[in-house]
Amino acid sequence: MNLEQIQKLESQLLLSTYERYPVLLHKGRGVYVYDHKGRRYLDLLSGIGVNALGYAHPALTRTLAQQAKLLVHTSNLFYHEYQARLAAALTKVSGMDRAFFTNSGTEAWEAALKVARAYARANCPEGQQPKWRILALEHAFHGRTFGALATTHKEKYRAPFEPGVPGVEFVKFDDVDDLEQKFDATVCAIGFEFIQGEGGIRPVSKAFAEKAHALAAKHGALLIADEIQSGLGRTGRWFAYQHYGIQPDLVTVAKPIAGGLPLGALLASEKVSGCMHPGMHGTTFGGGPLACAVALQLLHTIERQRLLKHVQKIGAYFLRRLQELQFKHDSIREVRGLGLMLGMELKSADLAKTIFKQMLERGVVLNRTDETVLRFLPPFILQKQHVDHAIRQLDEALAKNTAGLALTAEKRKQ
Ligand SMILES: Cc1ncc(COP(=O)(O)O)c(C=O)c1O
């Protein structure tokens, strides 16, 4: 079937929840994906932050093929050899103590919210009402299931499904005063992305993160870090919170963890883990042997190939090249991010839409988030020549669409 036939069929048969790019993908190799006609695209989005080792990485495909022949699914009624080994690898790099495996990011976040409520209940003095309020941040994105949705800020995601899960309040992004005002002894948890992804690649400040940590400790509430997009090496460290020197009580991971197979995890401190008992939470598929074996291979490969160092270096180079573009083009408002989690905020949503589309036509995949921000989440194996190519294409696309603005930038330099 060709693209048009598939588009027609999907429009008749699928719930219309997605606005897909008009590209029919066929295969991927390294940092490139290929469409059904063999056209090559440089992928700077990696399946929205999933394909950290690019496409068809030999170590991952080998493990995938070997494990598929042995055991794909067991249910969580049985033991298999990979959950505990993966938990050991994850707890080692995160400084956490225990893991619960899920199928997706939203389920990991859902598990975190449930644990936060269970922890508050388990630690509530007799005769008192358990703490139950949850604080989240404006512009946050934590997923699409009901609990996650309640902590996701954008009105357009929540409004069609109201009433949502009660007890959630949003704190103004990075606003320490607002945080202090809303944080009291009725709060059981504060959860946030140390670097917001969907919200436009926005890091919280050290002052805000430290205040959240201190207030959580003061009120016996939990600090939950959503590392679903930023975690497992994307920012050049295993986790974004490690740039801040803060150890959360709960951490959620997903996206890159199993090389594209559906897997997520909630990581918990020992202090918190004691509130969970058999039957309180579970999943049929989460943490199956195939996904866990591949995830273990992914973590080993990141370590073996010293990819964290590489992400730091290539990320700094990419950021510098984006900053050079910013100097040249008045249409760029800001460039920000860490490692290979980068954003370029343009002066208008229309321009961001146009540039994103034209980049796709030019054979470079990226996306637009928070209306005006071009987002880059490339595979960790990205090299300088790929960055240079992307920058050339961006430079040309910006110049073509903002001739007047580029001119003023030139004038400014004279
Ligand atoms: C920070 C963050 N949290 C949660 C999610 C939800 O993950 P999933 O789409 O796997 O449910 C996402 C997805 O983009 C995310 O970026």
Side-chain angles (χ1 to χ4, degrees), residues 23 113 122 140 160 168 183 226 270 301 338:
V23 178
L113 299 181
V168 176
F183 214 133
D226 184 340
E270 192 63 33
T301 305
L338 255 182

Side-chain angles (χ1 to χ4, degrees), residues 48 104-107 141-143 193 198 226 228-229 254-255:
I48 324 188
S104 64
T106 197
E107 285 169 87
F141 183 90
H142 298 297
E193 304 149 85
E198 303 294 316
D226 184 340
I228 289 164
Q229 192 164 138
K255 289 193 183 284

Side-chain angles (χ1 to χ4, degrees), residues 300-408:
H300 287 161
T301 305
I302 290 177
E303 244 159 6
R304 206 170 49 241
Q305 298 189 348
R306 299 183 203 290
L307 284 175
L308 296 190
K309 272 261 156 334
H310 178 69
V311 169
Q312 285 165 21
K313 269 175 125 177
I314 194 77
Y317 179 71
F318 201 163
L319 184 67
R320 201 169 64 244
R321 298 286 338 253
L322 290 172
Q323 283 163 342
E324 282 167 21
L325 278 188
Q326 185 187 1
F327 185 70
K328 203 168 161 192
H329 295 276
D330 270 0
S331 54
I332 301 173
R333 193 179 282 155
E334 197 183 17
V335 167
R336 53 183 178 252
L338 255 182
L340 287 177
M341 185 170 181
L342 299 169
M344 175 188 258
E345 186 170 343
L346 299 184
K347 289 224 160 121
S348 81
D350 280 347
L351 179 63
K353 208 186 248 179
T354 306
I355 298 295
F356 144 72
K357 268 196 189 153
Q358 292 186 1
M359 288 298 281
L360 192 64
E361 285 157 18
R362 288 165 176 268
V364 181
V365 180
L366 42 92
N367 92 329
R368 183 176 72 111
T369 189
D370 200 33
E371 303 293 324
T372 53
V373 181
L374 298 181
R375 176 169 52 166
F376 308 91
L377 300 170
F380 299 176
I381 55 172
L382 195 75
Q383 301 293 333
K384 265 186 170 182
Q385 70 266 23
H386 306 129
V387 175
D388 292 342
H389 176 74
I391 294 291
R392 256 194 319 275
Q393 297 300 323
L394 262 175
D395 192 12
E396 282 176 23
L398 284 163
K400 191 171 150 215
N401 288 283
T402 58
L405 289 170
L407 205 66
T408 38

Side-chain angles (χ1 to χ4, degrees), residues 86-287:
L86 180 57
L90 286 169
T91 52
K92 181 173 153 232
V93 295
S94 63
M96 304 302 287
D97 300 307
R98 289 174 184 268
F100 173 84
F101 292 105
T102 67
N103 309 286
S104 64
T106 197
E107 285 169 87
W109 191 251
E110 208 72 31
L113 299 181
K114 284 178 77 173
V115 170
R117 287 269 174 90
Y119 178 79
R121 193 165 283 268
N123 289 281
C124 179
E126 239 187 79
Q128 282 186 26
Q129 171 86 353
K131 303 166 189 292
W132 70 302
R133 285 175 61 228
I134 292 166
L135 299 181
L137 297 200
E138 290 190 356
H139 312 296
F141 183 90
H142 298 297
R144 307 283 195 159
T145 50
F146 261 98
L149 195 62
T151 52
T152 286
H153 181 243
K154 255 198 192 122
E155 186 74 19
K156 74 168 186 192
Y157 293 146
R158 285 182 290 119
F161 310 106
E162 281 175 344
V165 174
V168 176
E169 199 167 349
F170 291 101
V171 173
K172 287 193 189 118
F173 180 76
D174 215 31
D175 187 326
V176 173
D177 293 339
D178 197 41
L179 176 69
E180 278 187 305
Q181 211 188 323
K182 288 174 178 155
F183 214 133
D184 62 24
T186 64
V187 171
C188 70
I190 175 158
F192 58 91
E193 304 149 85
F194 279 72
I195 302 179
Q196 290 189 334
E198 303 294 316
I201 313 292
R202 292 175 206 279
V204 298
S205 63
K206 204 152 194 265
F208 183 89
E210 281 171 358
K211 182 55 82 177
H213 189 228
L215 286 168
K218 176 177 167 195
H219 294 293
L222 303 182
L223 178 67
I224 317 174
D226 184 340
E227 294 275 353
I228 289 164
Q229 192 164 138
S230 57
L232 298 175
R234 175 145 303 280
T235 66
R237 300 191 71 159
W238 281 108
F239 296 95
Y241 62 79
Q242 291 167 339
H243 294 277
Y244 292 75
I246 286 172
Q247 189 65 30
D249 300 293
L250 294 167
V251 176
T252 54
V253 290
K255 289 193 183 284
I257 188 170
L261 295 180
L263 184 70
L266 170 66
L267 307 175
S269 67
E270 192 63 33
K271 169 187 99 176
V272 172
S273 303
C275 71
M276 295 301 282
H277 305 291
M280 282 176 74
H281 198 46
T283 159
T284 301
F285 291 112

